Amino acid sequence: MQTPTKTTAHSVYTLNYHIVFVTKYRNKVLTGAIEDHIKEQMPILCERYGWEQLALEVMPDHVHLFVSAPPTTAPVTIAKTLKSILAVSLFKTFPTLKQKRFWGSGLWSDGCYYGSAGTVSAKTIAMSIEDQRSKPA
């Protein structure tokens, strides 16, 4: 996957981030309709904020996102924004999720993994994300 160079009013960039965030206590709840909800919402959220979703895989207890964003947006901002909006959306759509597993806390663990990639390794990262489903848990 060769990601094209993008431009803003004052910059030219190729910034791609591999972001992984996990559920609190590694609870394996991101399956079925919840997984589908995340896969439906993620591209909408990315587009709303001016980011491009390059690859996405939702595992039972974590999410792999490969995203391109302008240099004015820090990767931590991307993760915080998506985690916050997705948690609110998931708890609203699936109220039993909060009651059963996350009644005293948020949906996501505080930390994240952040990796960066330019055009050279973008294909490797995208293939790695797509291969997540075939790896044993």
Side-chain angles (χ1 to χ4, degrees):
M1 169 189 297
Q2 181 80 10
T3 56
T5 300
K6 298 178 177 104
T7 60
T8 66
H10 301 285
S11 59
V12 177
Y13 66 94
T14 303
L15 293 172
N16 305 311
Y17 303 106
H18 178 198
I19 301 173
V20 181
F21 43 96
V22 301
T23 58
K24 192 81 104 171
Y25 315 116
R26 298 290 282 207
N27 281 312
K28 297 181 184 313
V29 297
L30 308 179
T31 60
I34 293 172
E35 175 185 359
D36 294 341
H37 184 82
I38 293 170
K39 287 182 175 180
E40 289 169 7
Q41 292 301 307
M42 191 69 77
I44 295 167
L45 293 173
C46 287
E47 184 177 340
R48 179 187 306 163
Y49 286 91
W51 311 323
E52 181 184 358
Q53 176 185 306
L54 302 173
L56 173 71
E57 190 57 69
V58 180
M59 303 303 289
D61 63 353
H62 64 281
V63 174
H64 286 268
L65 173 66
F66 191 38
V67 63
S68 178
T72 54
T73 306
V76 69
T77 302
I78 298 168
K80 284 183 175 184
T81 301
L82 294 174
K83 286 167 63 174
S84 175
I85 294 171
L86 284 172
V88 169
S89 177
L90 287 167
F91 286 149
K92 185 177 179 180
T93 306
F94 306 96
T96 57
L97 183 63
K98 184 143 183 94
Q99 295 165 357
K100 288 183 180 179
R101 303 267 186 179
F102 304 99
W103 54 271
S105 63
L107 175 64
W108 307 107
S109 181
D110 289 339
C112 284
Y113 165 80
Y114 301 98
S116 61
T119 56
V120 175
S121 59
K123 181 177 181 181
T124 304
I125 291 174
M127 286 175 40
S128 173
I129 289 173
E130 291 165 5
D131 289 343
Q132 285 296 309
R133 187 60 69 183
S134 63
K135 292 183 179 180

